[in-house]
Every structure is written in C-alpha cells, then in structure tokens.
Amino acid sequence: MVYLGWIAGTTGLILAAAISLHANILLAHIHEVGGKRRIRYRDLAGYIYGRKMYSLTWGLQYVNLFMINTGFIILAGQALKAMYVLYGGDNALKLPYCIAIAGFVCALFAFGIPHLSALRIWLGISTFLSLIYIVVAFVLSLRDGISTPPRDYNIPGSHVNKIFTTIGSVASLVFAYNTGMLPEIQATIKPPVIKNMEKALWFQFTVGVLPLFAVTFMGYWAYGSSTSTYLLNSVGGPAWVKAMANVAAFLQTVIALHIFASPMYEYLDTKYGRGKGSAFSFHNISFRVLVRGGYLTINTFVAALLPFLGDFMSLTGALSVFPLTFVLANHMYLTVKKNKLSAFRKVWHWLNVVGFSCLAVAAAVAAIRLIIVDSKAYHLFADL
C-alpha cells in the first residue's frame, strides 16, 4: 500500500486475489490427468511436458518456498525483537540474534512434526494465533488512527522510482496470495478432490481474504506512508496487548513455516531414505534433526544476512510465482483441455500466458533495480 497508494493498492489487492483464484482453479481442474492424481506440482508438469520441465518446475517451486520460509523466519525474528524493545531492551539483542533464535525454534518444531498430515490440530492453533494478531493490530491501528493528525499518503520517491516500485509491488502482491504448491495441498483433500478444492479456493479468496484486507487497509489508514513493514512496530497501546500479539505472530510463523517447508521435507525424506517404522524412532528423529536442521540452518542464515528480504521477494515473485501460478497454469490447462475449449477460451488463456510472461520480465527488472538501490542503504546482518 505504501508504494501503491489507496487506489492502486486497493485495486491491486482485489485484482490479484481474483486472478490468483482463477489460476488456482485451473490447477485444481487438472489435478487428475492420465487417470492418476498428481500430488506434486513437479509431477503434474513432468507428466504434461516431460522430464526437463519436471526439473525446472521443481527448481522454481523450491526457490519460491525457500523465500517464503526465509520470510517467515524474519517475521518471527521481528516479533521477538519487538517484544524485547517493548519491555525496555537496551538494544543489545540485535535482529540477527532474534532471527537465529526463531530459526532454532522452527527447527525444534520441524523435528517433532514428521509430515504435513501430522499438523492437524496445529492448523487450528495457527488460525487462532493469526486472529489474535489481526484483531490486536486492527483495534490498535483504529485507536491510533482516530487520535492522530492527518496522515501523509503520498507515495515516496522520485517519478522514476515510483514506476519501478509500483511494478515491484505488483510482484509482491501476487507473491502474497500464491505458494506454488496447490497440488500438494489438494493431495490431502478427500474425494471428490476437484469439487472440494474449488469450494476451498472460493472460500479462501472471498471470506478468507477479508482479515487480510481489514488489517492492511486499517494499518495504512492509520499511519499512511510511514507504516512499518511489521505493523506492530507502528501501533501504540498497552504493552501487554502488543506483547500478546507479538507472541501470537511468533508462534504462528513457526507453524506456518512448516506447511510451506513440507514439499522440501518430503523431497529430502524421499531422496535420502527415511527409515521404516515409527516416525519417532531414534533413526527417523535423527534423520529429521540432520536433514531438516541443515535446511533450516541455511534458511536462518539467509534471513539474518538479508533481513531486508522484501526486495528479493519481489524478484522471487517475478521469477517463480508469475511463471508457476499464472504462465504455467494457463498453458498446462490449454495443453490438457485443448480439444474441449472454445476458440474464445483458447485466446483468453493464450493472452494470460503472454501477458503474465511480459509482467514477469518487467517485475524482474524492477526488482533487480530495487535491490541495487537499496543495497546502498542497507548492510548485511542489519539490525532493522
């Protein structure tokens, strides 16, 4: 919102939700091709295009999920740092240290949850924790917005900078809605999988986005262009209320990270041979400690090294989210359903393929420029 303003930001959030819903429904409809459920995105692409596309899709998905996981660790670190500052910290505990602590806690959780289906009750806890953060951020932002003088909603930067930050923000918008792992999620749904996935998608992109819209619009209304990336750093109010929201944000990210790390965990388990028997046998726990611990160590190091990760997420959105969610989804649907589509629908999907390919290139250029510009202002292991 800071780099888009009210009109473009609101339009972008709604439009990004609509096109993301459309693209994910396309993927849901080709979940079963060739008489078999394709439970991994790379399996679906590999069946349709061949082995090379299997590897390319997995590479793009890996980069996307790696950046999501790294972003979650940064968010958890920011929540810890906010709690430290909230109670009069002397600034000795820097953000990189908080990120290291967050990464360690995420690793401990990953050791105890052997697979995605084992989350079960944790998903309900995650939802509850999310609501705590959203309600607190919304109410405190509303309170501040009523009591503070008029805010500045002007988009910061020169005319040229505004053009590039706008394009980069578009990539961030689609990054916020998409994960590149819909087939993996759909694989956990009971039959009829296509119909049930459609119901889930419609619910998520209508009712499910309302809390996101509420906290985003309220935060921007209350603080304008000075809004912090981590909203709780901007809000006023009782320390114990903000502490509760920070704790909720921290714990929620620990759970959410595990969801988006699951495809990588599954790949490592399959590749390096998880042992048979109980998931909590000594061998299997040791395997998770070694392999998942190593993966999350890399995630945590990158998070501490580059805590200004938003620029890189714009680049990731351009290089992976656009191709995976929009370009590839439309082209795969065309390939699978080509004999069942009208001429108009074929043209529509081709327009999506070409249009989003062009947007991906433009967004990548804008993100690279943003990284170069911001690298002059930030330093590695920055205490933001």
Side-chain angles (χ1 to χ4, degrees):
M1 294 294 289
V2 170
Y3 294 110
L4 292 173
W6 274 117
I7 297 175
T10 303
T11 304
L13 277 169
I14 296 172
L15 189 59
I19 61 177
S20 298
L21 171 62
H22 173 257
N24 281 286
I25 284 178
L26 293 182
L27 280 176
H29 276 264
I30 54 175
H31 178 68
E32 295 178 337
V33 291
K36 181 181 177 182
R37 292 179 70 179
R38 308 292 166 177
I39 62 173
R40 304 176 186 89
Y41 204 129
R42 59 187 185 273
D43 291 340
L44 180 60
Y47 175 80
I48 295 172
Y49 300 115
R51 187 68 190 179
K52 289 183 179 179
M53 185 56 74
Y54 172 95
S55 301
L56 178 60
T57 302
W58 176 221
L60 291 174
Q61 187 185 36
Y62 169 77
V63 170
N64 188 35
L65 295 176
F66 181 88
M67 294 300 283
I68 292 174
N69 297 334
T70 304
F72 272 126
I73 294 175
I74 292 175
L75 177 59
Q78 288 176 325
L80 284 178
K81 178 67 185 291
M83 283 188 285
Y84 177 74
V85 172
L86 191 62
Y87 286 100
D90 56 4
N91 206 36
L93 187 63
K94 306 293 185 183
L95 179 60
Y97 304 148
C98 294
I99 289 174
I101 296 170
F104 179 72
V105 175
C106 289
L108 290 179
F109 186 78
F111 302 156
I113 307 295
H115 45 74
L116 187 59
S117 298
L119 281 172
R120 298 181 185 275
I121 191 174
W122 290 104
L123 296 177
I125 295 173
S126 175
T127 302
F128 176 71
L129 293 170
S130 296
L131 289 174
I132 290 177
Y133 172 87
I134 289 168
V135 170
V136 170
F138 182 90
V139 172
L140 293 183
S141 296
L142 176 62
R143 176 177 174 270
D144 288 347
I146 293 172
S147 60
T148 55
R151 275 73 64 189
D152 178 15
Y153 297 111
N154 291 319
I155 299 174
S158 64
H159 179 69
V160 174
N161 283 337
K162 288 178 181 179
I163 294 174
F164 283 100
T165 53
T166 297
I167 297 172
S169 296
V170 170
S172 296
L173 278 176
V174 297
F175 186 89
Y177 284 113
N178 298 283
T179 64
M181 58 177 287
L182 184 130
E184 286 85 350
I185 296 172
Q186 192 166 358
T188 65
I189 292 180
K190 295 179 179 180
V193 289
I194 294 175
K195 185 177 180 180
N196 287 335
M197 192 68 206
E198 270 198 308
K199 290 180 180 178
L201 286 169
W202 275 105
F203 181 84
Q204 179 57 43
F205 282 96
T206 52
V207 177
V209 298
L210 293 180
L212 168 67
F213 287 174
V215 77
T216 299
F217 294 146
M218 183 57 68
Y220 186 59
W221 171 77
Y223 310 107
S225 300
S226 64
T227 307
S228 171
T229 303
Y230 182 60
L231 184 57
L232 290 180
N233 285 338
S234 296
V235 302
W240 71 270
V241 176
K242 292 195 288 184
M244 179 178 64
N246 279 307
V247 170
F250 174 77
L251 295 176
Q252 197 277 337
T253 56
V254 173
I255 300 171
L257 181 144
H258 189 81
I259 299 171
F260 298 109
S262 290
M264 192 63 200
Y265 295 162
E266 184 270 335
Y267 170 77
L268 292 172
D269 290 348
T270 303
K271 178 76 174 179
Y272 296 105
R274 178 180 55 200
K276 296 181 180 179
S278 170
F280 295 98
S281 67
F282 177 78
H283 176 273
N284 284 329
I285 291 179
S286 301
F287 178 85
R288 290 198 294 274
V289 169
L290 180 64
V291 176
R292 296 185 183 186
Y295 173 72
L296 288 172
T297 297
I298 298 172
N299 266 132
T300 304
F301 177 76
V302 173
L305 184 71
L306 303 169
F308 47 96
L309 199 68
D311 298 352
F312 292 90
M313 286 187 173
S314 295
L315 182 61
T316 304
L319 298 180
S320 65
V321 177
F322 273 115
L324 281 177
T325 307
F326 303 114
V327 178
L328 199 57
N330 277 277
H331 195 271
M332 286 196 298
Y333 190 80
L334 266 171
T335 304
V336 173
K337 305 284 187 178
K338 58 184 177 182
N339 296 326
K340 300 178 181 179
L341 299 177
S342 65
F344 174 80
R345 292 190 66 188
K346 288 180 181 178
V347 170
W348 164 252
H349 290 301
W350 273 115
L351 285 174
N352 276 278
V353 170
V354 174
F356 285 116
S357 296
C358 294
L359 275 175
V361 173
V365 172
I368 291 171
R369 180 187 180 277
L370 192 61
I371 290 170
I372 294 172
V373 171
D374 284 352
S375 65
K376 299 175 183 177
Y378 296 117
H379 59 84
L380 302 181
F381 297 104
D383 182 33
L384 303 180

